[in-house]
Amino acid sequence: WPQPSGQVPMDYFRGISTGPVTPCVWSITTAGEAVNIGMTFRSTVFSTQAIARVKSDFLEMLSSLKHYA
């Protein structure tokens, strides 16, 4: 999305919610050339430590994709 000179590029963040059938939800959206990833979870289903491990593993996998680009 071209921006007029001096203007900040647009961005897009999606709000997501969990439910009984989906206790962990990921949202991947794009805005221009940017990619935004969000995650939310039910703390009654997943511990903070478990989610931290999932996040860490996911970021590590994303980092390894750079080798294929």
Side-chain angles (χ1 to χ4, degrees), residues 34-63:
V35 175
N36 295 306
I37 301 173
M39 178 183 67
T40 188
F41 65 96
R42 288 185 156 226
S43 59
T44 56
V45 177
F46 298 102
S47 69
T48 303
Q49 294 82 12
I51 291 299
R53 194 168 51 251
V54 168
K55 177 184 170 186
S56 174
D57 290 349
F58 180 75
L59 291 173
E60 185 177 322
M61 287 181 217
L62 278 181
S63 179

Side-chain angles (χ1 to χ4, degrees), residues 23-38:
C24 182
V25 181
W26 292 77
S27 169
I28 302 173
T29 57
T30 60
E33 294 182 13
V35 175
N36 295 306
I37 301 173

